[in-house]
Amino acid sequence: MTNHIRPETHKHMEKKHVCTLCKSNQIQVFLSLGPTPPANNFLEERHIDRGEKFYPLDVYFCLDCSHVGVLPRIDSEELFSDYVYLTSRSETMLSHLESLSDTIFDRYLDDEEEALVVDIGSNDGSLLQFFQEKGVNVVGVEPAENIAREARKNGVPTINDFFDEETAKLILEEYGLPDVVMATNVFAHIPELDEVTKGIELLLDEGGAFIFENAYLPDLIENKEFDTIYHEHLYYHSLTPLKSYFQRFGLGIADAERVPIHGGSIRVFVEKDPQISDRAKELIEFEEERGFTELQKYRDFAEEVKGIRQDLNSLIEELKRNNSRIAGYGAAAKGNTLLNYCRIGPEELDYVVDNTPLKQGKFTPGMHIPVKTPRHFRNDYPDYVLLLAWNFAREIIAKEKEFLEQGGKFIIPVPEVKVVGKEFLEKT
Ligand code: TMP
Ligand code: ZN
């Protein structure tokens, strides 16, 4: 996932506080997570005293179309200028991408002679490689130069640019009409979403499909995943608002299903003039029945989020009173929302462990906790670990069995603050 914006066109976003999807000004902020620096701006030690910029992190609900998003407060140029997020090379992620490619292949590509798949925000080409293994032609679109280069090195043809109508025309000229256009975890990061949707529309003919995956708003709310809210995540999608959104572009939702990745995601199949599937219809009904089209749902959520902050702070206070040592696990962007919102800093956490070389040796944005390697962790076990990357709980806990066996404990912050010890190993 990387950003998909031409920075120069977005200087004035701050002024128009309207719903991104339907452009209504009937939007209501229901949650303010406080002044927060961009969640991926890890700091070098020498920059710590320079001062960082903090921005309000406010989330709105659109009374007209039920869309939920973060109020755009930061110039995208600043937000994304150093954005160097490589698709997590976790086993969990790769096996998810492989199974996604299998599903798409069986459904759309099996009978095609010269199938073509386009991936928007193709990152290092991980997803497209699975299609290549099936004999499918591919082209990725990736705006980050270093990451696009990495993808090409992996043998994945990659256009190093933002995706919009212009890029779509270039693809048509050079590669022809794709059978499938994909976007995983990018459709929530694009300030000028309409430009991207117009480009997608150009790439779809009657048999074509656009398939995207993103965190699913009802999962976020029900699992209290408030920490997945940060400035780069502009939108929290559900089907109800998207249905009318796509209609404006002559597209429609053909199908949708929930998938268990990133704390609960939705996979949406968009086509031209589709019949909507029963399971997509059921999801839309589910959203309405469960109150996701009402402001009250979100007000209740905001109260629950405050409760988590209280519980976590009391627990940490108590552990510190007993002189326990605590570290964080996974310097994920969402970890930074949690740490900043709960004001958990180096007084509370000795360090945060992360296996990404790019983050190691740096300091977390806002709270300035040092990021250390897994080796450091294994040589210096704390008593407790606050699991910041809870979406990889299974993988991380399995990897750190020894820590648990030696009496270490994990603090899992969502959906409710919970402490688990080695008994957890028997359960998983
Ligand atoms: P993400 O949820 O934004 O992908 O972030 C997860 C972070 O956790 C990422 O910085 C990598 C880190 N991580 C580890 O340190 N060890 C692991 O085993 C896994 C799966 C992730
Ligand atoms: Zn709206």
PDB file of all heavy atoms in Angstrom, residues 92-93 96 185 213-228 233 258-266 334 389-393 414-415:
ATOM      1  N   THR A  92       1.512 -14.279   6.988  1.00  0.00           N
ATOM      2  CA  THR A  92       0.064 -14.069   6.982  1.00  0.00           C
ATOM      3  C   THR A  92      -0.362 -13.316   5.719  1.00  0.00           C
ATOM      4  O   THR A  92      -1.306 -13.688   5.030  1.00  0.00           O
ATOM      5  CB  THR A  92      -0.354 -13.223   8.210  1.00  0.00           C
ATOM      6  OG1 THR A  92       0.346 -13.696   9.353  1.00  0.00           O
ATOM      7  CG2 THR A  92      -1.838 -13.249   8.441  1.00  0.00           C
ATOM      8  N   MET A  93       0.377 -12.258   5.413  1.00  0.00           N
ATOM      9  CA  MET A  93       0.023 -11.389   4.291  1.00  0.00           C
ATOM     10  C   MET A  93       0.227 -12.114   2.969  1.00  0.00           C
ATOM     11  O   MET A  93      -0.624 -12.061   2.081  1.00  0.00           O
ATOM     12  CB  MET A  93       0.908 -10.138   4.365  1.00  0.00           C
ATOM     13  CG  MET A  93       0.336  -8.978   3.639  1.00  0.00           C
ATOM     14  SD  MET A  93      -1.294  -8.611   4.317  1.00  0.00           S
ATOM     15  CE  MET A  93      -2.011  -7.841   2.922  1.00  0.00           C
ATOM     16  N   HIS A  96      -2.310 -14.689   2.322  1.00  0.00           N
ATOM     17  CA  HIS A  96      -3.574 -14.028   1.982  1.00  0.00           C
ATOM     18  C   HIS A  96      -3.583 -13.584   0.511  1.00  0.00           C
ATOM     19  O   HIS A  96      -4.565 -13.794  -0.212  1.00  0.00           O
ATOM     20  CB  HIS A  96      -3.805 -12.816   2.888  1.00  0.00           C
ATOM     21  CG  HIS A  96      -5.002 -12.024   2.490  1.00  0.00           C
ATOM     22  ND1 HIS A  96      -6.282 -12.471   2.722  1.00  0.00           N
ATOM     23  CD2 HIS A  96      -5.128 -10.848   1.831  1.00  0.00           C
ATOM     24  CE1 HIS A  96      -7.136 -11.601   2.222  1.00  0.00           C
ATOM     25  NE2 HIS A  96      -6.467 -10.604   1.678  1.00  0.00           N
ATOM     26  N   ASN A 185      -5.808  -2.560  -0.123  1.00  0.00           N
ATOM     27  CA  ASN A 185      -5.431  -1.560   0.878  1.00  0.00           C
ATOM     28  C   ASN A 185      -4.906  -0.264   0.284  1.00  0.00           C
ATOM     29  O   ASN A 185      -3.962   0.318   0.798  1.00  0.00           O
ATOM     30  CB  ASN A 185      -4.404  -2.136   1.850  1.00  0.00           C
ATOM     31  CG  ASN A 185      -5.033  -3.240   2.649  1.00  0.00           C
ATOM     32  OD1 ASN A 185      -6.105  -3.065   3.232  1.00  0.00           O
ATOM     33  ND2 ASN A 185      -4.410  -4.393   2.644  1.00  0.00           N
ATOM     34  N   GLU A 213      -9.815  -4.533  -1.834  1.00  0.00           N
ATOM     35  CA  GLU A 213      -9.931  -4.975  -0.446  1.00  0.00           C
ATOM     36  C   GLU A 213      -9.495  -3.870   0.476  1.00  0.00           C
ATOM     37  O   GLU A 213      -8.510  -3.187   0.216  1.00  0.00           O
ATOM     38  CB  GLU A 213      -8.997  -6.166  -0.194  1.00  0.00           C
ATOM     39  CG  GLU A 213      -9.634  -7.474  -0.428  1.00  0.00           C
ATOM     40  CD  GLU A 213      -8.755  -8.619   0.049  1.00  0.00           C
ATOM     41  OE1 GLU A 213      -7.821  -8.406   0.850  1.00  0.00           O
ATOM     42  OE2 GLU A 213      -9.010  -9.727  -0.417  1.00  0.00           O
ATOM     43  N   ASN A 214     -10.240  -3.714   1.534  1.00  0.00           N
ATOM     44  CA  ASN A 214      -9.936  -2.698   2.534  1.00  0.00           C
ATOM     45  C   ASN A 214     -10.503  -3.108   3.867  1.00  0.00           C
ATOM     46  O   ASN A 214     -11.422  -3.914   3.912  1.00  0.00           O
ATOM     47  CB  ASN A 214     -10.616  -1.389   2.135  1.00  0.00           C
ATOM     48  CG  ASN A 214      -9.619  -0.454   1.505  1.00  0.00           C
ATOM     49  OD1 ASN A 214      -9.711  -0.183   0.323  1.00  0.00           O
ATOM     50  ND2 ASN A 214      -8.652  -0.020   2.283  1.00  0.00           N
ATOM     51  N   ALA A 215      -9.989  -2.490   4.905  1.00  0.00           N
ATOM     52  CA  ALA A 215     -10.593  -2.697   6.217  1.00  0.00           C
ATOM     53  C   ALA A 215     -12.091  -2.404   6.101  1.00  0.00           C
ATOM     54  O   ALA A 215     -12.497  -1.500   5.375  1.00  0.00           O
ATOM     55  CB  ALA A 215      -9.955  -1.767   7.222  1.00  0.00           C
ATOM     56  N   TYR A 216     -12.910  -3.197   6.820  1.00  0.00           N
ATOM     57  CA  TYR A 216     -14.365  -3.047   6.749  1.00  0.00           C
ATOM     58  C   TYR A 216     -14.845  -2.286   7.982  1.00  0.00           C
ATOM     59  O   TYR A 216     -14.585  -2.699   9.116  1.00  0.00           O
ATOM     60  CB  TYR A 216     -14.986  -4.443   6.693  1.00  0.00           C
ATOM     61  CG  TYR A 216     -16.494  -4.473   6.469  1.00  0.00           C
ATOM     62  CD1 TYR A 216     -17.103  -3.603   5.573  1.00  0.00           C
ATOM     63  CD2 TYR A 216     -17.276  -5.399   7.139  1.00  0.00           C
ATOM     64  CE1 TYR A 216     -18.477  -3.653   5.361  1.00  0.00           C
ATOM     65  CE2 TYR A 216     -18.650  -5.462   6.927  1.00  0.00           C
ATOM     66  CZ  TYR A 216     -19.241  -4.582   6.031  1.00  0.00           C
ATOM     67  OH  TYR A 216     -20.604  -4.637   5.824  1.00  0.00           O
ATOM     68  N   LEU A 217     -15.512  -1.184   7.751  1.00  0.00           N
ATOM     69  CA  LEU A 217     -15.942  -0.327   8.854  1.00  0.00           C
ATOM     70  C   LEU A 217     -16.676  -1.064   9.993  1.00  0.00           C
ATOM     71  O   LEU A 217     -16.350  -0.875  11.158  1.00  0.00           O
ATOM     72  CB  LEU A 217     -16.789   0.833   8.302  1.00  0.00           C
ATOM     73  CG  LEU A 217     -17.407   1.755   9.350  1.00  0.00           C
ATOM     74  CD1 LEU A 217     -16.348   2.581  10.068  1.00  0.00           C
ATOM     75  CD2 LEU A 217     -18.434   2.696   8.689  1.00  0.00           C
ATOM     76  N   PRO A 218     -17.675  -1.919   9.680  1.00  0.00           N
ATOM     77  CA  PRO A 218     -18.339  -2.624  10.783  1.00  0.00           C
ATOM     78  C   PRO A 218     -17.372  -3.458  11.633  1.00  0.00           C
ATOM     79  O   PRO A 218     -17.554  -3.564  12.847  1.00  0.00           O
ATOM     80  CB  PRO A 218     -19.367  -3.502  10.071  1.00  0.00           C
ATOM     81  CG  PRO A 218     -19.707  -2.703   8.851  1.00  0.00           C
ATOM     82  CD  PRO A 218     -18.400  -2.106   8.403  1.00  0.00           C
ATOM     83  N   ASP A 219     -16.334  -4.031  11.031  1.00  0.00           N
ATOM     84  CA  ASP A 219     -15.346  -4.765  11.831  1.00  0.00           C
ATOM     85  C   ASP A 219     -14.572  -3.809  12.724  1.00  0.00           C
ATOM     86  O   ASP A 219     -14.317  -4.089  13.893  1.00  0.00           O
ATOM     87  CB  ASP A 219     -14.363  -5.516  10.925  1.00  0.00           C
ATOM     88  CG  ASP A 219     -14.980  -6.762  10.315  1.00  0.00           C
ATOM     89  OD1 ASP A 219     -15.688  -7.481  11.051  1.00  0.00           O
ATOM     90  OD2 ASP A 219     -14.772  -7.019   9.119  1.00  0.00           O
ATOM     91  N   LEU A 220     -14.180  -2.680  12.147  1.00  0.00           N
ATOM     92  CA  LEU A 220     -13.454  -1.680  12.934  1.00  0.00           C
ATOM     93  C   LEU A 220     -14.269  -1.281  14.160  1.00  0.00           C
ATOM     94  O   LEU A 220     -13.778  -1.246  15.283  1.00  0.00           O
ATOM     95  CB  LEU A 220     -13.164  -0.455  12.056  1.00  0.00           C
ATOM     96  CG  LEU A 220     -12.293   0.665  12.623  1.00  0.00           C
ATOM     97  CD1 LEU A 220     -11.746   1.527  11.487  1.00  0.00           C
ATOM     98  CD2 LEU A 220     -13.013   1.577  13.597  1.00  0.00           C
ATOM     99  N   ILE A 221     -15.547  -1.013  13.933  1.00  0.00           N
ATOM    100  CA  ILE A 221     -16.392  -0.544  15.034  1.00  0.00           C
ATOM    101  C   ILE A 221     -16.647  -1.671  16.041  1.00  0.00           C
ATOM    102  O   ILE A 221     -16.482  -1.496  17.242  1.00  0.00           O
ATOM    103  CB  ILE A 221     -17.745  -0.014  14.486  1.00  0.00           C
ATOM    104  CG1 ILE A 221     -17.508   1.144  13.494  1.00  0.00           C
ATOM    105  CG2 ILE A 221     -18.692   0.394  15.619  1.00  0.00           C
ATOM    106  CD1 ILE A 221     -16.929   2.392  14.063  1.00  0.00           C
ATOM    107  N   GLU A 222     -17.013  -2.847  15.531  1.00  0.00           N
ATOM    108  CA  GLU A 222     -17.370  -3.928  16.464  1.00  0.00           C
ATOM    109  C   GLU A 222     -16.170  -4.445  17.228  1.00  0.00           C
ATOM    110  O   GLU A 222     -16.272  -4.818  18.386  1.00  0.00           O
ATOM    111  CB  GLU A 222     -18.097  -5.052  15.719  1.00  0.00           C
ATOM    112  CG  GLU A 222     -19.475  -4.557  15.312  1.00  0.00           C
ATOM    113  CD  GLU A 222     -20.418  -5.627  14.812  1.00  0.00           C
ATOM    114  OE1 GLU A 222     -19.944  -6.688  14.360  1.00  0.00           O
ATOM    115  OE2 GLU A 222     -21.644  -5.370  14.861  1.00  0.00           O
ATOM    116  N   ASN A 223     -15.013  -4.467  16.584  1.00  0.00           N
ATOM    117  CA  ASN A 223     -13.804  -4.944  17.276  1.00  0.00           C
ATOM    118  C   ASN A 223     -13.044  -3.807  17.955  1.00  0.00           C
ATOM    119  O   ASN A 223     -11.913  -4.006  18.394  1.00  0.00           O
ATOM    120  CB  ASN A 223     -12.872  -5.672  16.304  1.00  0.00           C
ATOM    121  CG  ASN A 223     -13.554  -6.826  15.614  1.00  0.00           C
ATOM    122  OD1 ASN A 223     -14.441  -7.447  16.183  1.00  0.00           O
ATOM    123  ND2 ASN A 223     -13.167  -7.100  14.381  1.00  0.00           N
ATOM    124  N   LYS A 224     -13.626  -2.619  17.949  1.00  0.00           N
ATOM    125  CA  LYS A 224     -13.039  -1.444  18.625  1.00  0.00           C
ATOM    126  C   LYS A 224     -11.627  -1.137  18.142  1.00  0.00           C
ATOM    127  O   LYS A 224     -10.754  -0.795  18.928  1.00  0.00           O
ATOM    128  CB  LYS A 224     -12.999  -1.649  20.154  1.00  0.00           C
ATOM    129  CG  LYS A 224     -14.160  -2.386  20.750  1.00  0.00           C
ATOM    130  CD  LYS A 224     -15.338  -1.470  20.980  1.00  0.00           C
ATOM    131  CE  LYS A 224     -16.429  -2.154  21.766  1.00  0.00           C
ATOM    132  NZ  LYS A 224     -17.209  -3.130  20.994  1.00  0.00           N
ATOM    133  N   GLU A 225     -11.412  -1.299  16.836  1.00  0.00           N
ATOM    134  CA  GLU A 225     -10.057  -1.112  16.304  1.00  0.00           C
ATOM    135  C   GLU A 225      -9.781   0.363  16.039  1.00  0.00           C
ATOM    136  O   GLU A 225      -9.420   0.767  14.933  1.00  0.00           O
ATOM    137  CB  GLU A 225      -9.911  -1.918  15.008  1.00  0.00           C
ATOM    138  CG  GLU A 225     -10.121  -3.406  15.214  1.00  0.00           C
ATOM    139  CD  GLU A 225     -10.473  -4.149  13.920  1.00  0.00           C
ATOM    140  OE1 GLU A 225     -10.560  -3.510  12.858  1.00  0.00           O
ATOM    141  OE2 GLU A 225     -10.671  -5.376  13.996  1.00  0.00           O
ATOM    142  N   PHE A 226      -9.971   1.175  17.065  1.00  0.00           N
ATOM    143  CA  PHE A 226      -9.843   2.624  16.878  1.00  0.00           C
ATOM    144  C   PHE A 226      -8.434   3.020  16.453  1.00  0.00           C
ATOM    145  O   PHE A 226      -8.219   4.042  15.809  1.00  0.00           O
ATOM    146  CB  PHE A 226     -10.216   3.360  18.171  1.00  0.00           C
ATOM    147  CG  PHE A 226      -9.177   3.226  19.249  1.00  0.00           C
ATOM    148  CD1 PHE A 226      -8.176   4.170  19.359  1.00  0.00           C
ATOM    149  CD2 PHE A 226      -9.173   2.138  20.106  1.00  0.00           C
ATOM    150  CE1 PHE A 226      -7.192   4.035  20.327  1.00  0.00           C
ATOM    151  CE2 PHE A 226      -8.200   2.002  21.079  1.00  0.00           C
ATOM    152  CZ  PHE A 226      -7.194   2.951  21.184  1.00  0.00           C
ATOM    153  N   ASP A 227      -7.452   2.160  16.811  1.00  0.00           N
ATOM    154  CA  ASP A 227      -6.065   2.514  16.484  1.00  0.00           C
ATOM    155  C   ASP A 227      -5.772   2.425  14.986  1.00  0.00           C
ATOM    156  O   ASP A 227      -4.778   2.977  14.520  1.00  0.00           O
ATOM    157  CB  ASP A 227      -5.084   1.649  17.293  1.00  0.00           C
ATOM    158  CG  ASP A 227      -5.375   0.164  17.176  1.00  0.00           C
ATOM    159  OD1 ASP A 227      -6.481  -0.200  16.725  1.00  0.00           O
ATOM    160  OD2 ASP A 227      -4.499  -0.642  17.529  1.00  0.00           O
ATOM    161  N   THR A 228      -6.660   1.751  14.221  1.00  0.00           N
ATOM    162  CA  THR A 228      -6.419   1.706  12.775  1.00  0.00           C
ATOM    163  C   THR A 228      -6.809   3.036  12.113  1.00  0.00           C
ATOM    164  O   THR A 228      -6.703   3.187  10.907  1.00  0.00           O
ATOM    165  CB  THR A 228      -7.200   0.558  12.091  1.00  0.00           C
ATOM    166  OG1 THR A 228      -8.602   0.776  12.294  1.00  0.00           O
ATOM    167  CG2 THR A 228      -6.811  -0.788  12.669  1.00  0.00           C
ATOM    168  N   HIS A 233      -5.048   6.874   6.580  1.00  0.00           N
ATOM    169  CA  HIS A 233      -6.275   6.126   6.303  1.00  0.00           C
ATOM    170  C   HIS A 233      -7.424   7.114   6.230  1.00  0.00           C
ATOM    171  O   HIS A 233      -8.020   7.475   7.240  1.00  0.00           O
ATOM    172  CB  HIS A 233      -6.573   5.148   7.438  1.00  0.00           C
ATOM    173  CG  HIS A 233      -5.842   3.864   7.329  1.00  0.00           C
ATOM    174  ND1 HIS A 233      -5.905   2.894   8.286  1.00  0.00           N
ATOM    175  CD2 HIS A 233      -5.026   3.387   6.364  1.00  0.00           C
ATOM    176  CE1 HIS A 233      -5.149   1.869   7.912  1.00  0.00           C
ATOM    177  NE2 HIS A 233      -4.607   2.145   6.756  1.00  0.00           N
ATOM    178  N   ARG A 258     -16.785 -10.609   3.257  1.00  0.00           N
ATOM    179  CA  ARG A 258     -15.884 -10.229   4.340  1.00  0.00           C
ATOM    180  C   ARG A 258     -14.699 -11.174   4.335  1.00  0.00           C
ATOM    181  O   ARG A 258     -14.855 -12.364   4.079  1.00  0.00           O
ATOM    182  CB  ARG A 258     -16.632 -10.316   5.676  1.00  0.00           C
ATOM    183  CG  ARG A 258     -17.770  -9.320   5.735  1.00  0.00           C
ATOM    184  CD  ARG A 258     -18.625  -9.520   6.950  1.00  0.00           C
ATOM    185  NE  ARG A 258     -18.017  -8.907   8.135  1.00  0.00           N
ATOM    186  CZ  ARG A 258     -18.709  -8.633   9.250  1.00  0.00           C
ATOM    187  NH1 ARG A 258     -19.994  -8.917   9.320  1.00  0.00           N
ATOM    188  NH2 ARG A 258     -18.107  -8.071  10.270  1.00  0.00           N
ATOM    189  N   VAL A 259     -13.504 -10.635   4.584  1.00  0.00           N
ATOM    190  CA  VAL A 259     -12.310 -11.484   4.645  1.00  0.00           C
ATOM    191  C   VAL A 259     -11.515 -11.163   5.917  1.00  0.00           C
ATOM    192  O   VAL A 259     -11.413 -10.009   6.312  1.00  0.00           O
ATOM    193  CB  VAL A 259     -11.399 -11.324   3.383  1.00  0.00           C
ATOM    194  CG1 VAL A 259     -11.976 -12.065   2.198  1.00  0.00           C
ATOM    195  CG2 VAL A 259     -11.178  -9.867   3.020  1.00  0.00           C
ATOM    196  N   PRO A 260     -10.976 -12.221   6.537  1.00  0.00           N
ATOM    197  CA  PRO A 260     -10.342 -12.028   7.840  1.00  0.00           C
ATOM    198  C   PRO A 260      -8.885 -11.591   7.749  1.00  0.00           C
ATOM    199  O   PRO A 260      -7.999 -12.336   8.086  1.00  0.00           O
ATOM    200  CB  PRO A 260     -10.437 -13.418   8.474  1.00  0.00           C
ATOM    201  CG  PRO A 260     -10.392 -14.345   7.300  1.00  0.00           C
ATOM    202  CD  PRO A 260     -11.001 -13.636   6.143  1.00  0.00           C
ATOM    203  N   ILE A 261      -8.638 -10.389   7.282  1.00  0.00           N
ATOM    204  CA  ILE A 261      -7.255  -9.879   7.276  1.00  0.00           C
ATOM    205  C   ILE A 261      -7.306  -8.464   7.825  1.00  0.00           C
ATOM    206  O   ILE A 261      -8.329  -7.787   7.686  1.00  0.00           O
ATOM    207  CB  ILE A 261      -6.638  -9.939   5.848  1.00  0.00           C
ATOM    208  CG1 ILE A 261      -5.147  -9.587   5.820  1.00  0.00           C
ATOM    209  CG2 ILE A 261      -7.382  -9.021   4.881  1.00  0.00           C
ATOM    210  CD1 ILE A 261      -4.226 -10.735   6.033  1.00  0.00           C
ATOM    211  N   HIS A 262      -6.218  -8.015   8.428  1.00  0.00           N
ATOM    212  CA  HIS A 262      -6.161  -6.659   8.987  1.00  0.00           C
ATOM    213  C   HIS A 262      -7.336  -6.367   9.911  1.00  0.00           C
ATOM    214  O   HIS A 262      -7.961  -5.313   9.822  1.00  0.00           O
ATOM    215  CB  HIS A 262      -6.132  -5.603   7.871  1.00  0.00           C
ATOM    216  CG  HIS A 262      -4.819  -5.522   7.174  1.00  0.00           C
ATOM    217  ND1 HIS A 262      -3.629  -5.377   7.852  1.00  0.00           N
ATOM    218  CD2 HIS A 262      -4.478  -5.574   5.869  1.00  0.00           C
ATOM    219  CE1 HIS A 262      -2.635  -5.347   6.996  1.00  0.00           C
ATOM    220  NE2 HIS A 262      -3.116  -5.470   5.781  1.00  0.00           N
ATOM    221  N   GLY A 263      -7.651  -7.298  10.764  1.00  0.00           N
ATOM    222  CA  GLY A 263      -8.717  -7.049  11.734  1.00  0.00           C
ATOM    223  C   GLY A 263     -10.109  -7.049  11.135  1.00  0.00           C
ATOM    224  O   GLY A 263     -11.056  -6.573  11.756  1.00  0.00           O
ATOM    225  N   GLY A 264     -10.246  -7.587   9.927  1.00  0.00           N
ATOM    226  CA  GLY A 264     -11.566  -7.663   9.295  1.00  0.00           C
ATOM    227  C   GLY A 264     -11.650  -6.730   8.101  1.00  0.00           C
ATOM    228  O   GLY A 264     -11.638  -5.512   8.243  1.00  0.00           O
ATOM    229  N   SER A 265     -11.696  -7.311   6.908  1.00  0.00           N
ATOM    230  CA  SER A 265     -11.712  -6.493   5.693  1.00  0.00           C
ATOM    231  C   SER A 265     -12.902  -6.868   4.836  1.00  0.00           C
ATOM    232  O   SER A 265     -13.602  -7.835   5.105  1.00  0.00           O
ATOM    233  CB  SER A 265     -10.422  -6.724   4.886  1.00  0.00           C
ATOM    234  OG  SER A 265      -9.314  -6.270   5.617  1.00  0.00           O
ATOM    235  N   ILE A 266     -13.094  -6.080   3.790  1.00  0.00           N
ATOM    236  CA  ILE A 266     -14.135  -6.402   2.825  1.00  0.00           C
ATOM    237  C   ILE A 266     -13.509  -6.463   1.439  1.00  0.00           C
ATOM    238  O   ILE A 266     -12.639  -5.671   1.099  1.00  0.00           O
ATOM    239  CB  ILE A 266     -15.306  -5.396   2.881  1.00  0.00           C
ATOM    240  CG1 ILE A 266     -16.436  -5.885   2.009  1.00  0.00           C
ATOM    241  CG2 ILE A 266     -14.877  -3.986   2.512  1.00  0.00           C
ATOM    242  CD1 ILE A 266     -17.770  -5.398   2.430  1.00  0.00           C
ATOM    243  N   LYS A 334      -0.648   1.866  13.277  1.00  0.00           N
ATOM    244  CA  LYS A 334      -1.761   1.911  14.237  1.00  0.00           C
ATOM    245  C   LYS A 334      -1.264   1.990  15.665  1.00  0.00           C
ATOM    246  O   LYS A 334      -1.923   2.567  16.533  1.00  0.00           O
ATOM    247  CB  LYS A 334      -2.705   0.726  14.049  1.00  0.00           C
ATOM    248  CG  LYS A 334      -2.096  -0.624  14.290  1.00  0.00           C
ATOM    249  CD  LYS A 334      -3.192  -1.659  14.188  1.00  0.00           C
ATOM    250  CE  LYS A 334      -2.834  -2.912  13.435  1.00  0.00           C
ATOM    251  NZ  LYS A 334      -1.742  -2.937  12.516  1.00  0.00           N
ATOM    252  N   ALA A 389       0.868  -4.556  17.078  1.00  0.00           N
ATOM    253  CA  ALA A 389       0.486  -5.133  15.779  1.00  0.00           C
ATOM    254  C   ALA A 389      -0.424  -6.328  16.029  1.00  0.00           C
ATOM    255  O   ALA A 389      -0.122  -7.463  15.659  1.00  0.00           O
ATOM    256  CB  ALA A 389       1.732  -5.541  15.001  1.00  0.00           C
ATOM    257  N   TRP A 390      -1.586  -6.093  16.656  1.00  0.00           N
ATOM    258  CA  TRP A 390      -2.468  -7.201  17.057  1.00  0.00           C
ATOM    259  C   TRP A 390      -3.031  -7.947  15.858  1.00  0.00           C
ATOM    260  O   TRP A 390      -3.508  -9.070  15.983  1.00  0.00           O
ATOM    261  CB  TRP A 390      -3.591  -6.701  17.971  1.00  0.00           C
ATOM    262  CG  TRP A 390      -4.249  -5.449  17.478  1.00  0.00           C
ATOM    263  CD1 TRP A 390      -4.068  -4.198  17.971  1.00  0.00           C
ATOM    264  CD2 TRP A 390      -5.159  -5.319  16.379  1.00  0.00           C
ATOM    265  NE1 TRP A 390      -4.807  -3.299  17.247  1.00  0.00           N
ATOM    266  CE2 TRP A 390      -5.481  -3.958  16.267  1.00  0.00           C
ATOM    267  CE3 TRP A 390      -5.730  -6.224  15.472  1.00  0.00           C
ATOM    268  CZ2 TRP A 390      -6.343  -3.472  15.289  1.00  0.00           C
ATOM    269  CZ3 TRP A 390      -6.584  -5.742  14.489  1.00  0.00           C
ATOM    270  CH2 TRP A 390      -6.890  -4.382  14.414  1.00  0.00           C
ATOM    271  N   ASN A 391      -2.980  -7.325  14.659  1.00  0.00           N
ATOM    272  CA  ASN A 391      -3.461  -8.031  13.462  1.00  0.00           C
ATOM    273  C   ASN A 391      -2.573  -9.230  13.134  1.00  0.00           C
ATOM    274  O   ASN A 391      -2.972 -10.122  12.410  1.00  0.00           O
ATOM    275  CB  ASN A 391      -3.568  -7.089  12.255  1.00  0.00           C
ATOM    276  CG  ASN A 391      -2.341  -6.229  12.031  1.00  0.00           C
ATOM    277  OD1 ASN A 391      -1.654  -5.835  12.982  1.00  0.00           O
ATOM    278  ND2 ASN A 391      -2.027  -5.931  10.792  1.00  0.00           N
ATOM    279  N   PHE A 392      -1.350  -9.246  13.663  1.00  0.00           N
ATOM    280  CA  PHE A 392      -0.472 -10.392  13.458  1.00  0.00           C
ATOM    281  C   PHE A 392      -0.287 -11.181  14.749  1.00  0.00           C
ATOM    282  O   PHE A 392       0.731 -11.845  14.934  1.00  0.00           O
ATOM    283  CB  PHE A 392       0.887  -9.924  12.919  1.00  0.00           C
ATOM    284  CG  PHE A 392       0.810  -9.304  11.554  1.00  0.00           C
ATOM    285  CD1 PHE A 392       1.164  -7.978  11.340  1.00  0.00           C
ATOM    286  CD2 PHE A 392       0.371 -10.038  10.455  1.00  0.00           C
ATOM    287  CE1 PHE A 392       1.083  -7.404  10.075  1.00  0.00           C
ATOM    288  CE2 PHE A 392       0.289  -9.468   9.193  1.00  0.00           C
ATOM    289  CZ  PHE A 392       0.642  -8.146   9.000  1.00  0.00           C
ATOM    290  N   ALA A 393      -1.265 -11.098  15.642  1.00  0.00           N
ATOM    291  CA  ALA A 393      -1.145 -11.726  16.965  1.00  0.00           C
ATOM    292  C   ALA A 393      -0.690 -13.177  16.867  1.00  0.00           C
ATOM    293  O   ALA A 393       0.273 -13.589  17.514  1.00  0.00           O
ATOM    294  CB  ALA A 393      -2.472 -11.639  17.708  1.00  0.00           C
ATOM    295  N   VAL A 414      -7.038  -4.371  22.093  1.00  0.00           N
ATOM    296  CA  VAL A 414      -8.396  -4.336  21.521  1.00  0.00           C
ATOM    297  C   VAL A 414      -8.900  -5.756  21.254  1.00  0.00           C
ATOM    298  O   VAL A 414      -8.083  -6.643  21.023  1.00  0.00           O
ATOM    299  CB  VAL A 414      -8.434  -3.528  20.192  1.00  0.00           C
ATOM    300  CG1 VAL A 414      -8.030  -2.096  20.415  1.00  0.00           C
ATOM    301  CG2 VAL A 414      -7.582  -4.173  19.116  1.00  0.00           C
ATOM    302  N   PRO A 415     -10.194  -6.006  21.264  1.00  0.00           N
ATOM    303  CA  PRO A 415     -11.320  -5.093  21.503  1.00  0.00           C
ATOM    304  C   PRO A 415     -11.447  -4.662  22.965  1.00  0.00           C
ATOM    305  O   PRO A 415     -12.160  -3.703  23.249  1.00  0.00           O
ATOM    306  CB  PRO A 415     -12.546  -5.911  21.083  1.00  0.00           C
ATOM    307  CG  PRO A 415     -12.123  -7.331  21.205  1.00  0.00           C
ATOM    308  CD  PRO A 415     -10.646  -7.381  20.961  1.00  0.00           C
TER     309      PRO A 415
END
